[in-house]
Amino acid sequence: MTSTQQRAALQRQIWQIANDVRGSVDGWDFKQYVLGTLFYRFISENFASYIEAGDESINYAALDDSVITDDIKDDAIKTKGYFIYPSQLFVNVAKTANNNESLNTDLARIFGEIENSANGYASEDDIKGLFADFDTTSNRLGNTVKDKNLRLAAVLKGVAGLDFGNFEDNQIDLFGDAYEFLISNYAANAGKSGGEFFTPQHVSKLIALLAIHGQTSINKIYDPAAGSGSLLMQARKHIDVHRIEDGYFGQEINHTTYNLARMNMFLHNINYDKFNIQLGNTLTNPHFLDDKPFDAIVSNPPYSVKWIGSDDPTLINDERFAPAGVLAPKSKADFAFVLHALSYLSSKGRAAIVCFPGIFYRGGAEQKIRKYLVDNNYVETVISLAPNLFFGTTIAVNILVLSKHKQDTSVQFIDASGLFKKETNNNTLTDNDDPNDPGHIQQIMAAFSSKEEIPHFSRSVPYEEVAKDYNLSVSSYVEAKDNREVIDITELNAELKTTVAKIDQLRADIDAIVAEIEGVGE
């Protein structure tokens, strides 16, 4: 069995476990327990591996808690960001789960102590509240303590039964992939709500490649609407980790999703000092003002959500929005996210942002913001994608690529609306590096990189043409391919003449037959 097959088998197994253990509980409501348990196992094994440091004579899980000195604990927290005693390790808790009548309270205590171990250390904010959504007292687990413990034990045993192999060899990649696989499946089954916190991996890869294109080093990467962190993790997969110097930054408004994003960082073995995920409203309470600018920004913000806008008179003077001279409409915050990202972007970087298509052609304040972006030469490319690529919406969205280091004043438009592979519920973008048979992602990136004109696919439009009305809709500049059958009129007329002649002959023959019949009758 190949590694790809092994990974697929593992993912099928974990999804089966997730469905089996939830019983009658809705999968969306139960996701915190499966994801949280996977996270608990990962940090336990990651921590044990750190303590053992490759010494086969040490089995951290078998040690007594009493042998742990304050110096050991202090050093571990400074390095890993948290501390787990041997008795608190996942393997030891799972081993006795079926017979532990106080399992739910034991887990709550252990999770609390892991979080509290970081108090007073640099990692405190990164660890605090990680297990907040793993509510061991929730009635979702059952009405009685016994029912809750049975459900919790089933989750622990199910995750314990997953074969990730040796931690040092491959477990980090497998854990991270398993976590994203679970999040993806939960999002796909949750409809609209799922699409709010997870961007499908194939689209995430395209966005990440656009943002990091051509950069040999990146100071840090940022997502102002981070969701579960999938866009940041895709960027990590497609760029050498050492090229991202100061780590991963993101802000998320939903508390549960904020916790998922932080777990996602740990599960991809990004240490607490290499990521900074903050909770809050990006538009009205932005973080990282002291950390900007960023060389790469990726984002899939919520489409056309309401925001306070002009009801807050201070926002028009905010350094993010003031240069445009106008605020995004209160009923459509899309351009507020765009201007926010632009203000956080470095002079050498790129921002790749998923956008609702209407913002590219509507009038009013949105047209004024487009004018500001075009006149200041910030718009590098607008890409129209196929419909039904995202969870919870069939909209054919666009990707807006912003840059502060363009080589000319033209704007590139790419019509990728015809690039998709039909799947069961959603369309996907194919990913194939074969130059003889490039995938959809590779085709888009090749056009983006070359800026060459490709009939019916890509075109770089001079500033003067765009500035006529500041319409940034792809269909206004890239002529759609006419797929209607080409008809040769001369040939068609000849065929019609022949057909008419045959019809005339047939009528004459019928008339002759009728006349003959009538003559016999007489």
Side-chain angles (χ1 to χ4, degrees), residues 241-298:
V241 174
H242 301 293
R243 284 167 60 194
I244 301 179
E245 298 164 0
D246 298 320
Y248 306 79
F249 293 72
Q251 185 165 344
E252 171 55 35
I253 194 170
N254 180 281
H255 193 277
T256 296
T257 313
Y258 156 72
N259 284 336
L260 290 178
R262 290 191 295 161
M263 289 184 182
N264 210 357
M265 299 296 124
F266 281 109
L267 277 156
H268 284 85
N269 207 37
I270 299 175
N271 211 39
Y272 76 91
D273 58 346
K274 282 295 183 181
F275 76 82
N276 191 342
I277 307 295
Q278 293 292 328
L279 178 66
N281 187 320
T282 292
L283 299 182
T284 58
N285 184 29
H287 288 268
F288 314 122
L289 292 170
D290 294 332
D291 294 292
K292 65 178 188 178
F294 295 85
D295 289 343
I297 297 176
V298 291

Side-chain angles (χ1 to χ4, degrees), residues 39 42-43 46 50 74-83 118 120-128 130 246-249 262 265-278:
F39 175 70
F42 173 81
I43 63 170
N46 192 326
Y50 163 74
D74 180 68
D75 181 69
I77 298 172
K78 287 177 179 176
T79 303
K80 299 301 293 180
Y82 58 92
F83 191 86
Y121 288 85
S123 59
E124 181 176 349
D125 290 341
D126 299 304
I127 305 298
K128 184 184 297 181
L130 271 174
D246 298 320
Y248 306 79
F249 293 72
R262 290 191 295 161
M265 299 296 124
F266 281 109
L267 277 156
H268 284 85
N269 207 37
I270 299 175
N271 211 39
Y272 76 91
D273 58 346
K274 282 295 183 181
F275 76 82
N276 191 342
I277 307 295
Q278 293 292 328

Side-chain angles (χ1 to χ4, degrees), residues 156-330:
L156 288 167
K157 289 294 184 181
V159 172
L162 296 170
D163 182 12
F164 287 107
N166 294 324
F167 188 88
E168 294 81 0
D169 295 338
N170 58 16
Q171 208 165 357
I172 292 170
D173 287 339
L174 287 176
F175 259 115
D177 285 350
Y179 190 76
E180 288 216 21
F181 169 79
L182 276 171
I183 292 178
S184 175
N185 273 28
Y186 281 126
N189 285 274
K192 182 178 180 180
S193 56
E196 292 174 358
F197 80 96
F198 185 79
T199 304
Q201 288 190 4
H202 52 98
V203 185
S204 295
K205 178 175 180 178
L206 174 61
I207 295 168
L209 291 176
L210 289 166
I212 65 179
H213 178 73
Q215 301 195 64
T216 56
S217 65
I218 290 173
N219 64 349
K220 47 206 164 189
I221 187 165
Y222 168 58
D223 185 345
S228 60
S230 57
L231 274 171
L232 291 173
M233 291 303 90
Q234 279 298 313
R236 179 184 180 274
K237 286 182 180 180
H238 301 293
I239 187 171
D240 181 4
V241 174
H242 301 293
R243 284 167 60 194
I244 301 179
E245 298 164 0
D246 298 320
Y248 306 79
F249 293 72
Q251 185 165 344
E252 171 55 35
I253 194 170
N254 180 281
H255 193 277
T256 296
T257 313
Y258 156 72
N259 284 336
L260 290 178
R262 290 191 295 161
M263 289 184 182
N264 210 357
M265 299 296 124
F266 281 109
L267 277 156
H268 284 85
N269 207 37
I270 299 175
N271 211 39
Y272 76 91
D273 58 346
K274 282 295 183 181
F275 76 82
N276 191 342
I277 307 295
Q278 293 292 328
L279 178 66
N281 187 320
T282 292
L283 299 182
T284 58
N285 184 29
H287 288 268
F288 314 122
L289 292 170
D290 294 332
D291 294 292
K292 65 178 188 178
F294 295 85
D295 289 343
I297 297 176
V298 291
S299 189
N300 179 15
Y303 310 141
S304 300
V305 295
K306 295 179 181 178
W307 75 308
I308 191 169
S310 58
D311 284 346
D312 181 350
T314 67
L315 286 175
I316 192 60
N317 296 316
D318 188 301
E319 64 179 356
R320 298 170 296 165
F321 312 124
V326 64
L327 295 172
K330 291 188 294 182

Side-chain angles (χ1 to χ4, degrees), residues 294-416:
F294 295 85
D295 289 343
I297 297 176
V298 291
S299 189
N300 179 15
Y303 310 141
S304 300
V305 295
K306 295 179 181 178
W307 75 308
I308 191 169
S310 58
D311 284 346
D312 181 350
T314 67
L315 286 175
I316 192 60
N317 296 316
D318 188 301
E319 64 179 356
R320 298 170 296 165
F321 312 124
V326 64
L327 295 172
K330 291 188 294 182
S331 61
K332 304 174 184 67
D334 308 73
F335 266 127
F337 283 104
V338 169
L339 291 174
H340 171 91
L342 180 66
S343 72
Y344 275 53
L345 187 63
S346 75
S347 59
K348 59 168 276 193
R350 281 191 178 89
I353 308 165
V354 179
C355 297
F356 184 80
I359 71 169
F360 293 109
Y361 57 80
R362 290 190 296 240
E366 291 177 318
Q367 185 181 38
K368 292 178 181 178
I369 294 173
R370 293 196 303 271
K371 181 180 187 303
Y372 162 73
L373 294 173
V374 172
D375 286 351
N376 287 275
N377 204 27
Y378 292 135
V379 181
E380 180 173 7
T381 303
V382 182
I383 305 169
S384 64
L385 297 179
N388 204 30
L389 290 174
F390 294 80
F391 300 126
T393 180
T394 59
I395 296 171
V397 301
N398 291 179
I399 297 177
L400 173 65
V401 183
L402 300 176
S403 170
K404 293 182 178 178
H405 62 277
K406 288 175 60 182
Q407 301 303 306
D408 58 37
T409 59
S410 61
V411 178
Q412 183 189 35
F413 295 90
I414 298 177
D415 182 0

